[in-house]
Amino acid sequence: MADGTGTGGAGTAGPPDPAGPYAEDPWRNYFLILLDRIPTPIAVCHADGDVLIANPAMAAQWGAAPGQLRGRNLLDLFRPRAKEQVHRIAEALRLGHRSRYPVEVHWQSAADGSEREGELTVDPVGDPSLRPPVLLALLRVRDTPPPPTPRGTASPVEARILALAAAGATTAAIGTAMGLTVDGVNYHLTRLARRWRVQGRTALVAKAYVLGVLAPDSWPPAPA
């Protein structure tokens, strides 16, 4: 897998069939059906990284359909942590060595724009006489910690109403403490319930703690 340069198909009569030893019907169709059903992101590519075929799991990392990846280069999406890893693979392939080569990579997820990381394992496959060989690339995506729970949006008045409600104050008592009418208190609580998509005062208070609107270690309850 050269660093984005070269043709990868030099010295061959035409581009190799990505099905490799299974290129003859009906085995080619079986190979492609199996590839589509494997949940691991997989691509078959030239030695320079240009994609011959990719399964849906790999295409999803690009935010594309599998057929749209043909001719794209793996290095357009996956950025190696160390360029030396790619150079070592290119040299090994040039010398005819066949082994499994791991590359630490990171990339931006097409699904949510988050930064992901993992290991791209590159394995020469196919006819041993083919120089350079076709590469099978498997991506192992590392689990990333979930994003921190976002703080809820609540105005100072709403946060104070929630704090009083968490302490068990009635609507009338909240109104007296806040200088609001009963209808005014209910107006704020109703708006919060719609915004957070919950029903009832108990659920509102619980959601306020989850979203960080109320301080988790304060009694009597207080805005965070």
Side-chain angles (χ1 to χ4, degrees), residues 147-156 158-160 162 192 195-196 206-217 222-224:
T149 303
R151 293 181 63 84
T153 54
S155 68
E158 292 169 336
R160 182 61 183 155
L162 287 168
L192 279 169
R195 188 186 312 153
W196 293 349
K207 191 70 176 276
Y209 278 111
V210 170
L211 296 178
V213 172
L214 296 180
D217 53 356

Side-chain angles (χ1 to χ4, degrees), residues 98-200:
R98 284 181 172 248
S99 184
R100 184 168 295 171
Y101 305 99
V103 181
E104 297 292 325
V105 294
H106 61 112
W107 68 98
Q108 189 175 43
S109 170
D112 56 12
S114 63
E115 190 72 11
R116 307 300 302 275
E117 61 181 32
E119 182 181 83
L120 196 64
T121 302
V122 180
D123 201 352
V125 294
D127 188 345
S129 66
L130 186 64
R131 299 284 296 274
V134 173
L135 304 180
L136 180 69
L138 289 82
L139 178 67
R140 290 178 175 82
V141 183
R142 288 207 182 93
D143 292 332
T144 55
T149 303
R151 293 181 63 84
T153 54
S155 68
V157 171
E158 292 169 336
R160 182 61 183 155
I161 289 174
L162 287 168
L164 291 168
T170 65
T171 303
I174 294 173
T176 299
M178 297 291 299
L180 297 171
T181 65
V182 169
D183 287 342
V185 173
N186 286 331
Y187 168 77
H188 285 292
L189 292 174
T190 299
R191 286 189 64 192
L192 279 169
R194 288 174 178 169
R195 188 186 312 153
W196 293 349
R197 299 181 181 179
V198 297
Q199 293 182 346

